[in-house]
Amino acid sequence: MYVVSSCLAGIPCRYDGKSCANKVVVELVKQGKAVPVCPEQLAGLPAPRPCCEILAEQSGKKRVMNADGKDLTKEFVDGAQKALRIAKEKGITKAILKSKSPSCGCGCIYDGTFSGKTIAGNGITAELFLENGIEVLTENEADKQKAFP
Ligand code: SF4
């Protein structure tokens, strides 16, 4: 069983009000092998919404800002904790999360300049999952794995 990003399951919860359905993930959900979760919606953020990126402070602390300059760190942390709770309640230890997202990205995220550039790093939810022993794959890695669905 997997936790998967809702947008990969075809749910239009992205900042632009669209989804980004991934065949592998959609099939896993259809077969009852995955639970879709959108941390940003769990935090009460609407779709569409202004795009967000993570700014890393010198202290190493992460701040999430939207394109309008609003600090949404609290909401992103809240959504991540709610997503983790769902995974734990269901005993799920694997996730397939949307690449590059400030919530779901794993290994690579946008750099905080809203210019399309990426840097090494994890989204807030992906990081919390990893800290709690949940294996996180992006949809790109899931596509390459022959074991799916
Ligand atoms: S928070 Fe995750 S699931 Fe929700 S829209 Fe962003 S990438 Fe998709």
Side-chain angles (χ1 to χ4, degrees):
M1 185 68 92
Y2 294 85
V3 166
V4 295
S5 293
S6 293
C7 55
L8 294 176
I11 297 166
C13 52
R14 275 169 45 122
Y15 74 95
D16 57 6
K18 295 178 184 166
S19 72
C20 41
N22 170 277
K23 266 190 191 172
V24 170
V25 171
V26 169
E27 195 54 37
L28 283 169
V29 174
K30 257 193 215 161
Q31 294 182 12
K33 294 178 180 169
V35 178
V37 163
C38 175
E40 293 173 33
Q41 286 209 318
L42 286 172
L45 297 175
R49 56 189 172 275
C51 172
C52 289
E53 293 195 8
I54 293 178
L55 306 183
E57 292 181 345
Q58 278 186 338
S59 62
K61 214 177 149 209
K62 288 177 174 175
R63 265 200 311 157
V64 183
M65 303 293 291
N66 75 12
D68 297 336
K70 189 172 175 201
D71 189 331
L72 290 170
T73 309
K74 204 168 148 276
E75 286 80 354
F76 272 60
V77 170
D78 177 52
Q81 287 169 344
K82 286 177 175 158
L84 177 65
R85 200 175 311 140
I86 291 169
K88 282 194 166 172
E89 278 169 6
K90 295 184 181 299
I92 298 174
T93 57
K94 291 182 188 175
I96 303 172
L97 301 183
K98 176 73 185 79
S99 59
K100 300 180 193 168
S101 152
S103 286
C104 295
C106 189
C108 173
I109 52 170
Y110 289 108
D111 72 352
T113 60
F114 295 94
S115 61
K117 285 189 207 138
T118 55
I119 51 170
N122 298 321
I124 305 292
T125 296
E127 188 131 305
L128 188 66
F129 276 17
L130 291 170
E131 285 168 4
N132 282 272
I134 297 177
E135 182 188 346
V136 179
L137 299 175
T138 67
E139 73 278 23
N140 304 319
E141 290 159 338
D143 279 342
K144 285 184 202 148
Q145 292 212 5
K146 306 280 181 247
F148 294 122

